[in-house]
Amino acid sequence: MKISAYTGGMVQTNGYLVETPDGNFLVDAPEGITEWIREKGVRVDDVLLTHQHYDHVMDAAALQAGGARLHAFSPYSTELTLEAAARAWGMPISVPPYQIDSLFDMERPLSLAGVEIAMAHVPGHAADAVNFYLADAGVVFSGDTLFAGSIGRTDLPGGSTKQLLDGIDRHLMVLPPETRVLSGHGPATTIGEEAAGNPYLE
């Protein structure tokens, strides 16, 4: 398995390409990732969305138009993308509309491209936030729940600091300390590093 990171869009959002002998998939769809995989010459059949805030789904429609299936916790809505709220803030954010092809079944792991992916619903930053844990690879895609030295902001619609911290404690900090954390913004870290030094988790 090979995991490559892409960063793009107005708030420097990370997306990840996971390549396996049985297929390839993306985690999140920030602006520009469609062109990035095209330049790589890689075919992507599936896109897993950690959540649907605008910066994580700007290229969702383009990827879908290219044949990729979109997977998420909830159906598409402008409330989830924050477009509705952004207009009230005077921010002209516009996400090309898309349709979610498959909603996650949170009762069982997801099997994709020969990989078993354990999923956890961790709201608090976003109502539909999901983390993806690839045990065999020792990697968790945390979206905007946990960052290197920080956590996701909770002042957006539907946010809750208590809910987010409870979810991080229950679903992320129980993972092996060497687990690599690949988040929606910023550099990679590990569960052990965050347990030892993240000021929000004290």
Side-chain angles (χ1 to χ4, degrees):
M1 179 188 301
K2 178 183 177 183
I3 300 175
S4 307
Y6 165 84
T7 304
M10 68 174 76
V11 290
Q12 292 296 282
T13 302
N14 296 330
Y16 299 94
L17 170 64
V18 180
E19 298 175 82
T20 83
D22 297 314
N24 311 311
F25 62 91
L26 290 174
V27 177
D28 285 336
E31 186 174 12
I33 201 168
T34 307
E35 182 60 28
W36 179 69
I37 63 168
R38 185 179 297 124
E39 289 173 356
K40 281 178 164 289
V42 174
R43 174 184 170 84
V44 169
D45 295 315
D46 297 276
V47 182
L48 306 183
L49 299 177
T50 61
H51 62 302
Q52 295 179 68
H53 284 174
Y54 69 92
D55 55 313
H56 292 259
V57 297
M58 275 296 191
D59 269 23
L63 290 164
Q64 189 169 53
R69 296 177 293 268
L70 302 181
H71 306 257
F73 183 81
S74 300
Y76 160 82
S77 76
T78 56
E79 283 71 32
L80 288 178
T81 63
L82 297 180
E83 289 171 87
R87 292 189 188 103
W89 305 331
M91 297 173 62
I93 292 171
S94 180
V95 175
Y98 53 87
Q99 294 294 322
I100 299 301
D101 296 296
S102 176
L103 297 179
F104 297 132
D105 179 354
M106 302 303 295
E107 299 302 315
R108 58 184 180 181
L110 176 66
S111 182
L112 201 64
V115 180
E116 185 170 285
I117 303 166
M119 299 181 292
H121 181 216
V122 188
H125 169 73
D128 62 332
V130 176
N131 288 176
F132 307 114
Y133 176 49
L134 284 57
D136 289 346
V139 168
V140 64
F141 296 97
S142 65
D144 286 3
T145 58
L146 180 65
F147 302 122
S150 189
I151 61 172
R153 58 186 294 185
T154 57
D155 59 340
L156 298 168
S160 166
T161 301
K162 182 181 186 306
Q163 196 175 38
L164 180 58
L165 289 173
D166 286 350
I168 290 171
D169 187 56
R170 187 165 63 253
H171 296 294
L172 288 171
M173 304 317 292
V174 297
L175 298 177
E178 66 273 15
T179 303
R180 292 172 61 217
V181 179
L182 302 180
S183 62
H185 302 274
T189 182
T190 68
I191 292 295
E193 289 177 81
E194 297 315 302
N198 190 314
Y200 293 91
L201 304 182
E202 293 177 354

